[in-house]
Each structure stands twice: as C-alpha cells, then as structure tokens.
Amino acid sequence: MRMSRYLLNTLKEVPREAETLSHQLMLRSCMIKKIAAGIYTYMPIGYRVIRKIEAIIREELNRENCIELLMPAVQPAELWKESMRWDFYGKELLRFKDRKGADFCMGPTHEEIITDVVRRELKSYRQLPLNLYQIQTKFRDEIRPRYGLMRGREFIMKDAYSFDVDDKASEKSYWSMYHAYARIFHRCGLKFRAVEADSGAIGGSFTHEFHVLADTGEDTVLSCSHCEYTANIEKAECRQPDPIEHGILEKIEKKETPGKKSVEEVAEFLSVKPDKLIKTMIFSTQDGTSVAVLVRGDHEVNEVKVRNFLGLNAMELADEDLIQASTGGPSGFSGPVGLNIRILADAAVKEMENAVTGANEKDTHWVNVNPGRDFVVGEYGDFRLAEKGERCPRCDKGEYEQFKGIEVGQVFRLGEKYSKSMNCSFLDENGKDKSAVMGCYGIGVGRTAAAAIEQNNDENGIVWPVNIAPFDVMLLNLDIQDDSVNEAAQRLYDDLKSKGLEVLYDERDVRAGFKFKDADLIGLPIQVIVGKRGLKEGLAEVKVRRTGERVKESPENVPAKIEALLKNLKEQEEQRR
Ligand code: 9G3
C-alpha cells in the first residue's frame, strides 16, 4: 500500500480527553476516529488490526469445533421479556420502537437470541455439544464511555455460546474455550492472566476473566507468587486468620470521643492501633432492611463478597436515616454492641479481643469489646478485601502480588438460566425432555487491540506484536526525486509483496525525519530504509522497531532477512508469560 494514496494522516497532538496511552496512540496513528461519545470509525490501518485479531480468534475457535454464525444487532423486546431481562436492565440497554411502535433494543449481548435460534433447531442429545459464535457489533449505553475502544458504547465482540446435555459436558466446553482463549491471547503476543472472577448477577457456578496486565488497567488482580491462584480483587479469597489464645477480657467501658469518626481519628484519640477497632458498616438491602457488616479497623469491606453472600443483585451503604433507625445512633459511631439487626462479621473479627467499637451514640465508643461476650455474630465469613502481600489462601506458601488488568475476555457457566426460562430443551437418550446446559464466552476485539498497545509501546509510539500488526514492513524511500532510488525501492516493494509480506510504502514528498517519526509512531515491526547514500554502497537498512536493532543488507537480501527477523520476533512474542 502506498502512503500517498492511503487514508492515514498521523497527528502530532491529541485531544486532551484521551487519558490513556492506547487511546492517544490510536488517535495519533489514525487507527480510529470518534463520531460520537463511545462511538468510533475504525480507520483503515486500525481495521487491519481488528481483522488480524478476528482471524486469530476464528482459527482457534474453529479448532475447538465452534461454528460461526451472525445474529442481528437489533433485537425484539419479546425475547428479553421471555428471559425476564427486559425490566432488569436500565438505561444501559438502548431501546427504541420501530415504525409500527414495536419495542426493540440494540443488542448488548446475545443470550436471548442464540437461545431462541437453538431452541427451534434442537431436538435430540445427539446434536450436542453445540458451540456457536459470532463476531458482531454490540451496543451498551455506558454512562461514561472513555479510554477510546477500551470502554466504548458500540464495540465489536466475539461472543460464543455452548449447549450441552449436562453440567459435566458443559464443564468440558468451558475448559475447551478457556484453553482456546489462552492460545488466542498468546498468539496476539499479550501477557495475560486467567483470573477467577465474581460471576455476579449472571449466576452460574464460576467464571474466569482474561486480563491483559497493564498499569492503566481498570481492574485490580491478585496473583499468588507461588501457586497459580489468581483472582479479581472483588473475588480474591482471604486466608482464615490464625486463632489467637485469648488473654484477659477487660471490662467493657464507654468513652467520650467527641467528633472522632474515622478509624484513624478514633485510633489516635484512644491511642490504639487501627487493628484494635471493629469497623461497622450498615448496608441497605433491596427490600429496605439493613444489615451490619463488621471488619477489623485495618481491613476494607468487600461489598461484592457481601452482596453475593446475601444473594443480592444490588446493595448500597445505608443513608443517615436508615443508620439512625437501625442502630439508634448517627453514622460514624455504629457498632455491634446492642445492635438488633442482622450482623455479618469478617473471620478476622472473631480473633479480636478488647476491641474498640462505635457505641451507636454520638461522640461515643466502647472499649474492651469482646466478640461472643459483648455481641453475638450469627454469620462469620470472608467479607473483606484481600490485600497485596498477604498469604495465599490456596497454597498457604506464596503471597498475593497485585496487578492492574484490562479485562479482554470472560468465560461463564450459564447453567440453565436461559434454556429453562426460554424452553430450549432436547430429548436425552432415555427420551426424557431436558434443558440444555449453557455457557457463554466473550472477547472484546477492540479492547484487545487497545490492551495490546498498552503493553507494547515506547516513547516513539506503538510497537506492534507481529501477529496483529496492521502491516509487516514499513518501506521508507528517502529520496523520491532520485530515479535510481525510486527504482530500487519499487523493486524491493514488489519483491517483499511477492513473498507474501504486507508492506506500507512511504513514498510521500515529505522530509526523511517526518517519515522516521511516522514509522515509529505507527509501529510496524520492521522498517526498511532506502536512500541515495545507502544505495551508493549498494545497501538498504533494515530496522527492528521493538529493539531498534539496525542492519545493512543488499536490496536482494532484504526479503530473506526480514522473514528471519519476523520469525524470531513472533517466537519471542508468543512465549510471553
Ligand atoms: C445488558 C446490558 C449490559 C450487559 C448485559 C446485558 C454485561 C449482560 C453480561 C454478559 C455476559 C456474557 C456473552 C458474551 C460474554 C459475556 N453487560 N452482560 O448480560 F442488557 Cl445493557 O454479556 N455475554
């Protein structure tokens, strides 16, 4: 492709709104153009990356006998009413009416559609397992789309759905997709972790997220330094605290703590360490009742763990009125003593003695509070946020290391959530009618491209992994006024293309320095520089973008040299862990 005829105008500056590096580099290298908030055009060079990632996804899914189809982006409300999700989702689900006034939505995901498709075709267990996938545009009306393709409103997703005869078979489908995902992200040259995640409202027994490790990631992931256990911080388990031998239980006493609310203020005022306090958070559940959650003063409540334990889809901190009504006192002075609402306590609280807690009275705390004696907890559990550095609950040998991750894929067990409500069933070998057991699997294609940039860049721009680079070679002609240079460059261009290499040929009438800067910004793996000076010695220069390594070769040897360099780069990139 000749640069002078391509649609690629790089930018020196980018809009301030581009906060993350990948967003800035995608705009500067003209990969995307914003049309509206969270809605982008994939410009030619950006779309080539999307196509490369899609090709890798297709190859790996087809290898797992997945079957590709394409479902509609516009979905009828009826199906969402059957699955009872039409009223569950809020403004994130973009709804509209057609000319006859019928209700539709822009598909944010396709469980309802695929279940409807399969229930019409599925009759016998002999047709299972069945794993169908599509690569298609989704729409989710995010309240704050940002970071470019990282959190767009319209985005390209590969979504797959598996149908099996029973849980055991469904688990087999789950792990085959899990391993296909690992191969996909390795081939994209990404360093990633498969992370045990919170299955949240979607239900199903467990789920894994695939996170690309990058400091600008929005998710926090904890990974054990010794065993493979890795979990999203929302889900990471905490080790049971070692039981302490209890000493003297001092007499409980009330203390005036005027205006001292936070753990730090109270601890300092009473000259105790934060881990001697019991922090009491009051939450309101969906039905308007409240629940108290106790954690040690130096720990944080993990609301996702609490919400899942209570089986709630939503839960928030109680407001002042509810705190007053539930505890008899104002916020900031809540405590478990004398509290007659449901109390959950983190396991670490059980091992506390002579602790400090709010007295459910303004400006007042209790000291020498002892669990079991001064208050009774019905339910101890793992309700706190795990922290970096603490011992791994699985192997008890390593400790948690903390990473920031960009979630690029997720694999879910759906069970019979959709097949039951939408009657997607089959006759088993005994002729008995059974609901199909489902799984669903997503990859954010644009997000994968953005994450690849977050992980592969330097001060000059993008450094594309070979397998997803928009082209293989950037060919720079430094002296387009010189016929002999043009002739040599053209021959090299033709030679490289005849070897199946994808070449972007920069023969624009601009200064050399400008071409070098653009080549580094666009970030193709290999640059070939042809100029008057080099050709005088019968040489062209080959530069490896990732390492900066340069080597001079006669033009006829350049193609073979490039193939060797690309092979080497590819091997290194696919081995990343
Ligand atoms: C909605 C809206 C947003 C949503 C959903 C539904 C996320 C929704 C979860 C999934 C689960 C899997 C198949 C591919 C992989 C992910 N956001 N989810 O169901 F109506 Cl507005 O999409 N679906």
Side-chain angles (χ1 to χ4, degrees), residues 318-337:
D319 59 17
E320 196 58 39
D321 297 346
L322 186 56
I323 292 173
Q324 186 66 45
S326 309
T327 69
S331 65
F333 297 93
S334 303
V337 179

Side-chain angles (χ1 to χ4, degrees), residues 43-55:
M43 296 296 278
I45 197 157
Y47 192 49
R48 286 180 75 97
V49 175
I50 296 295
R51 302 292 286 165
K52 289 279 178 84
I53 294 171
E54 290 179 351

Side-chain angles (χ1 to χ4, degrees), residues 80 85 89-94 105-106 108-112 138-141 157-161 181 202 410-412 414 418 440-443:
W80 284 71
R85 292 213 294 174
Y89 284 93
K91 290 197 164 35
E92 201 189 350
L93 183 62
L94 180 65
C105 68
M106 282 304 293
T109 181
H110 282 68
E111 280 81 0
E112 283 78 5
K138 296 280 184 288
F139 193 89
R140 294 179 185 177
D141 204 353
M157 182 199 273
K158 182 288 298 171
D159 44 326
Y161 304 86
Y181 274 40
I202 199 166
Q410 63 279 102
V411 288
F412 286 92
L414 283 176
Y418 294 94
C440 64
Y441 317 89
I443 292 180

Side-chain angles (χ1 to χ4, degrees), residues 434-461:
K434 291 275 190 66
S435 290
V437 180
M438 292 174 63
C440 64
Y441 317 89
I443 292 180
V445 179
R447 188 177 272 191
T448 299
I453 294 175
E454 291 291 340
Q455 253 189 12
N456 296 280
N457 65 72
D458 65 16
E459 66 282 358
N460 299 317

Side-chain angles (χ1 to χ4, degrees), residues 128-129 162-175 413 437:
L128 299 179
S162 60
F163 297 78
D164 281 286
V165 292
D166 57 27
D167 279 332
K168 193 161 162 297
S170 180
E171 183 150 357
K172 200 161 165 290
S173 296
Y174 181 91
W175 290 107
R413 300 289 300 279
V437 180

Side-chain angles (χ1 to χ4, degrees), residues 450-559:
I453 294 175
E454 291 291 340
Q455 253 189 12
N456 296 280
N457 65 72
D458 65 16
E459 66 282 358
N460 299 317
I462 302 170
V463 184
W464 283 113
V466 172
N467 286 345
I468 58 172
F471 293 89
D472 301 311
V473 181
M474 185 75 145
L475 173 62
L476 293 90
N477 176 340
L478 304 187
D479 300 297
I480 61 169
Q481 288 78 10
D482 181 313
D483 290 346
S484 65
V485 175
N486 288 336
E487 208 183 290
Q490 183 62 45
R491 195 172 321 114
L492 195 45
Y493 181 50
D494 296 338
D495 272 1
L496 292 170
K497 284 203 298 181
S498 66
K499 297 251 178 181
L501 290 166
E502 297 168 350
V503 186
L504 186 54
Y505 175 21
D506 190 351
E507 31 53 291
R508 291 173 298 169
D509 185 4
V510 294
R511 282 181 294 97
F514 196 81
K515 291 183 181 176
F516 291 136
K517 278 213 172 313
D518 269 3
D520 284 346
L521 169 65
I522 292 163
L524 301 183
I526 302 289
Q527 295 169 20
V528 178
I529 297 128
V530 179
K532 222 170 4 191
R533 222 148 22 112
L535 282 180
K536 267 210 190 71
E537 305 156 51
L539 293 172
E541 186 175 48
V542 178
K543 176 182 149 185
V544 177
R545 173 68 181 90
R546 186 172 290 282
T547 61
E549 170 199 352
R550 292 165 183 276
V551 63
K552 290 193 188 323
E553 288 286 348
S554 64
E556 55 277 3
N557 292 346
V558 164

Side-chain angles (χ1 to χ4, degrees), residues 65 226 328 336 342 352 359 368 494:
N65 304 314
H226 179 77
R342 188 175 182 183
M352 295 176 75
N368 299 330
D494 296 338

Side-chain angles (χ1 to χ4, degrees), residues 261-292:
K261 288 189 175 186
S262 75
V263 165
E264 289 67 32
E265 287 168 337
V266 174
E268 195 203 344
F269 185 74
L270 295 175
S271 313
V272 297
K273 290 215 305 286
D275 68 2
K276 289 296 281 179
L277 268 74
I278 295 177
K279 195 167 20 181
T280 302
M281 317 277 281
I282 312 291
F283 289 94
S284 79
T285 55
Q286 259 147 340
D287 54 10
T289 58
S290 55
V291 64

